[in-house]
């Protein structure tokens, strides 16, 4: 194993943290500030929370010599993005009491609540716990929420594949009981042996770690953007096993050429549950032992894979698991999208996918989505499944209940809203960015809707309104809405300015490239106008915008 080198500050904080406890209890007791101690800000992430502040109010508060307006974001752990109606009601209630009220569906199939004051964290976690929900390991240097293609009509054996998300999530959970002790008031463990952690030890992983499972033909989870991507291989309605890809990750840092987005590399196939889980576990232990612990910018698995090589990684993996991976099996992705409206799965159950712009569930002047989803949940006749495109599926509705649920959705305007939204908007995604994200350089979810209004007009003008172009925006180069894997990607560079990326494919198998740097709306719209004009007149039959842009505009 390599020498650890100079450990980064976060590594030292983890090691000294006594199982992720740090001084969180003292931080919570300190009534002089709405913030927590600096070291604890790194540790609280492992408990699924981030300290933030309202960036819109920084200047005004500074002028009044006031501290920043601190609050916390809490992210739930929902493997595969599944939530029962009862739990949705609990989330709705908690959101109304302690947070901004907006329920935010993330690009990794889970929910975040923002604006929770320090004094409200414990009551929030307690309320979640009462509903059998938790936020353990949804952030931090650890395995995060495990993704799985969310639509039950995707495959006749969706439920079986879907079950792996929960199994993998449990397999890679940390052993520390700090969460229960700090947030729920459980007694401190006397025998620390109970929380010895052979996987994470005392250093956890060098960086965040993400796993996604795709069920072909839909790559709705963007499987190659994950540290580990599993692709279910299904023949004659039978799960044969999984192709395994490693080293996906989409972040880069402006001006740091050593950082780059990367799609995961396929390294083999496993045919049994035991082998699949063993392989996943050991991929994580190799990253634990070989990942970069001195420079966090280079600490993701993708850099470990590129440093040592995918062949080396596979050999090391086979040494640790004691079995050889089989060659990658055939699979085909034909789409990467949500199926809006009603669809029926082979079981006979119905599922309605609702369009939620940028994952923000709220009641506003346009539509009362939050009230609509609550009313539907109160029937107790549905489940909720979140998609990696920040939408929600009202799922598992029995044939006998479909008409009444449909009537409710119609009454609240949800059906009209979903059906009349343009295709470009339905296939768009933006990250949170301002005002809560401390890393945002530009707006994303607050700006994208108005930009799309104008892009819709351009598409209409060029007869392209029926194209399902994938368009995404992030407020910085971290890639939270996976802009680098879009046909049109905007990456924030500064207030109102973005790099424009084009040439990504529709299926998430090819990254895009920078076409224009640091442009604002006055430049974005004419550039897109020209691109759409060229695409409309010059495309080959069936050619997608991303493929056209690559071949004709980027000339590759
Ligand atoms: Fe992300 C950091 C929001 C998906 C790459 N991400 C953040 C933080 C927590 C900012 C921070 O570190 O303080 C953002 C919180 C904003 C806020 O106020 O809520 C944030 N990321 C999000 C979400 C909510 C975007 C959304 O609008 O849906 C997504 C939550 C996912 C979840 O439920 O777990 C989200 N983040 C992603 C994705 C997409 C994915 O995983 O498919 C990526 C790119 C894939 C990848 O990981 O490479 C992503 N987020 C990052 C990074 C860059 C990581 C890196 O390798 O360098 C950061 C910054 C960091 O970790 O230092 C980051
Ligand atoms: Fe924040 Fe950047 Fe992620 Fe957007 S992409 S949520 S701005 S870290």
């Amino acid at each position: 194993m390599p020498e650890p080198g100079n450990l980064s500050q976060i590594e030292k904080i983890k090691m000294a943290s006594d199982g992720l406890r740090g001084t969180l209890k003292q931080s919570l007791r300190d009534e002089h500030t709405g913030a927590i101690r600096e070291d604890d800000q790194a540790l609280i992430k492992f408990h699924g929370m981030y300290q933030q502040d309202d960036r819109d109010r920084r200047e005004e508060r500074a002028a009044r010599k006031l501290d920043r307006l601190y609050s916390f974001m809490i992210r739930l752990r929902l493997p595969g993005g599944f939530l029962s109606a009862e739990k949705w009601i609990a989330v709705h209630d908690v959101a109304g009491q302690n947070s901004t009220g907006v329920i935010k569906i993330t690009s990794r199939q889970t929910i975040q609540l923002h604006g929770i004051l320090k004094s409200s964290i414990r009551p929030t976690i307690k309320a979640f716990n009462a509903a059998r929900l938790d936020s353990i390991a949804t952030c931090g240097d650890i395995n995060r929420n495990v993704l799985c293609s969310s639509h039950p009509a995707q495959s006749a054996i969706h439920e079986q594949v879907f079950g792996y998300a929960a199994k993998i999530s449990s397999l890679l959970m940390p052993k520390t009981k700090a969460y229960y002790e700090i947030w729920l008031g459980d007694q401190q463990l006397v025998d620390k042996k109970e929380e010895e952690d052979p996987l994470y030890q005392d250093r956890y992983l060098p960086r965040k770690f993400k796993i996604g499972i795709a069920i072909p033909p839909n790559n709705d989870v963007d499987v190659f953007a994950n540290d580990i991507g599993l692709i279910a291989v299904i023949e004659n309605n039978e799960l044969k096993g999984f192709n395994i890809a490693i080293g996906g990750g989409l972040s880069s840092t402006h001006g740091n050429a050593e950082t780059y987005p990367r799609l995961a590399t396929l390294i083999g196939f496993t045919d049994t549950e035991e082998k699949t889980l063993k392989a996943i576990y050991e991929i994580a232990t190799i990253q634990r032992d070989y990942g970069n612990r001195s420079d966090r910018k280079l600490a993701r698995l993708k850099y470990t894979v590129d440093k040592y090589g995918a062949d080396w990684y596979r050999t090391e993996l086979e040494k640790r698991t004691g079995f050889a991976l089989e060659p990658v099996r055939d699979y085909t992705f034909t789409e990467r999208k949500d199926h809006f409206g009603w669809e029926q799965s082979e079981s006979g159950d119905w599922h309605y996918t609702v369009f939620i712009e940028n994952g923000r569930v709220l009641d506003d002047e346009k539509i009362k989505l939050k009230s609509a989803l609550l009313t539907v949940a109160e029937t107790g006749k549905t489940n909720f499944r979140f998609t990696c495109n920040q939408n929600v599926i009202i799922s598992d509705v029995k044939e006998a209940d479909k008409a009444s649920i449909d009537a409710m959705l119609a009454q609240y305007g949800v059906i009209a809203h979903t059906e009349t939204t343009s295709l470009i908007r339905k296939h768009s995604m933006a990250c949170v960015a301002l005002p809560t994200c401390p890393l945002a350089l530009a707006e994303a979810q607050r700006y994208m809707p108005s930009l799309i209004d104008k892009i819709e007009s351009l598409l209409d003008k060029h007869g392209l309104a029926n194209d399902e172009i994938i368009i995404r925006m992030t407020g910085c180069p971290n890639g939270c809405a996976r802009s680098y894997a879009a046909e049109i990607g905007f990456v924030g560079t500064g207030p109102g300015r973005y790099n424009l990326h084009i040439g990504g494919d529709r299926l998430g198998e090819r990254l895009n490239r920078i076409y224009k740097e640091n442009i604002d709306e006055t430049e974005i719209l004419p550039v897109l106008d020209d691109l759409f004009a060229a695409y409309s007149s010059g495309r080959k039959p069936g050619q997608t915008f991303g493929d056209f842009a690559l071949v004709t505009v980027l000339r590759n």
Side-chain angles (χ1 to χ4, degrees), residues 145 151 353 490:
N145 200 42
H151 206 298
T353 306
F490 294 99

Side-chain angles (χ1 to χ4, degrees), residues 24 54 75 102 194 347 516 551:
L24 274 163
D54 186 341
R75 186 183 284 165
V102 177
E194 281 182 44
S347 65
K516 298 284 174 193
V551 176

Side-chain angles (χ1 to χ4, degrees), residues 162-194:
F162 187 77
Y164 274 81
K167 284 177 197 159
I168 295 167
S169 182
S170 309
L171 177 74
L172 302 183
M173 281 285 272
K175 300 277 185 268
T176 172
K177 300 282 181 285
Y179 180 91
Y180 300 96
E181 209 180 283
I182 297 167
W183 311 108
L184 298 168
D186 281 9
Q187 290 231 311
Q188 199 162 346
L189 272 185
V190 184
D191 184 1
K192 282 284 169 71
K193 279 216 170 70
E194 281 182 44

Side-chain angles (χ1 to χ4, degrees), residues 303-359:
Y303 300 115
T304 316
V305 171
D306 280 346
K307 180 172 177 193
Y308 294 96
D311 289 340
W312 172 88
Y313 213 106
R314 183 178 41 237
T315 308
E316 180 66 20
L317 177 63
E318 293 178 346
K319 206 157 71 188
R320 293 190 184 204
T321 59
F323 61 82
L325 294 179
E326 292 179 31
V328 171
R329 300 251 181 120
D330 289 344
Y331 69 93
T332 311
F333 288 127
T334 57
E335 59 182 19
R336 177 174 50 143
K337 63 177 186 181
D338 291 344
H339 288 227
F340 294 98
W342 285 110
E343 282 212 352
Q344 192 173 26
S345 46
E346 285 209 8
S347 65
D349 288 350
W350 289 91
H351 317 275
Y352 190 94
T353 306
V354 181
F355 170 65
I356 312 271
E357 192 154 28
N358 303 321

Side-chain angles (χ1 to χ4, degrees), residues 52 106-108 112 114 208 210 250 300 436 480 482:
Q52 306 185 316
T106 74
S107 57
R108 292 190 68 81
Q112 287 182 180
H114 291 91
K208 56 176 68 169
K210 299 180 171 179
L250 293 186
R300 288 293 290 273
T436 49
C480 297
R482 299 189 290 274

